[in-house]
Amino acid sequence: QVQLQESGPGLVKPSQTLSLTCSVSGGSITSNYYYWSWFRQAPGREREALSCIANIGGRNTYANSVKYRFTISRDRAENIVYLQMNDLKAEDTAVYYCASRRLGCSDSRDDYVDWGQGTQVTVSS
């Protein structure tokens, strides 16, 4: 079973940039067997899929709400998946999770088996 651990600064001001990391153990982020995604959940709202990193030759996917502002990437040597978030807005305030599943990206949280514990991101002036 894959273990995931998110980390990143918690409080930023609007328009600032923040990078979250997801440290992976028990599986390789270069594996063609696993896919890696970021989700978030704001208070009182459903958990929202943000981005999924494709295997080699594929295309990363992004939710419309974060497209062109957020970028998913990975460090193969460190076995880390990143989420860089630019031009942050108050509505980006949420708990951010990384997740993994086999055999393809999905926007449904029910399709993911492995989750990190989440990290709080607060965007406020």
Side-chain angles (χ1 to χ4, degrees):
Q1 187 175 356
V2 175
Q3 291 82 46
L4 308 172
Q5 177 67 56
E6 305 92 342
S7 62
L11 177 63
V12 295
K13 297 182 186 303
S15 79
Q16 288 189 332
T17 293
L18 179 63
S19 184
L20 303 180
T21 63
C22 175
S23 299
V24 178
S25 58
S28 172
I29 63 170
T30 61
S31 169
N32 287 331
Y33 195 52
Y34 285 103
Y35 288 72
W36 314 94
S37 292
W38 284 96
F39 285 72
R40 70 183 177 190
Q41 188 164 17
R45 302 190 67 176
E46 294 292 320
R47 192 165 296 189
E48 174 190 16
L50 299 177
S51 183
C52 182
I53 193 162
N55 286 329
I56 295 174
R59 178 176 292 182
N60 300 338
T61 60
Y62 295 93
N64 288 335
S65 58
V66 302
K67 202 170 185 180
Y68 309 121
R69 294 193 299 126
F70 290 12
T71 302
I72 193 170
S73 63
R74 60 182 147 200
D75 183 325
R76 292 175 172 81
E78 297 295 328
N79 222 34
I80 290 174
V81 180
Y82 296 100
L83 184 69
Q84 178 162 324
M85 306 184 291
N86 297 330
D87 189 24
L88 282 161
K89 307 176 188 302
E91 52 264 40
D92 294 317
T93 295
V95 178
Y96 284 70
Y97 299 89
C98 59
S100 68
R101 71 182 299 264
R102 300 173 183 177
L103 304 179
C105 294
S106 171
D107 289 342
S108 172
R109 63 174 295 181
D110 293 335
D111 289 338
Y112 287 80
V113 176
D114 300 308
W115 291 89
Q117 65 184 22
T119 188
Q120 175 71 44
V121 172
T122 302
V123 184
S124 175
S125 55

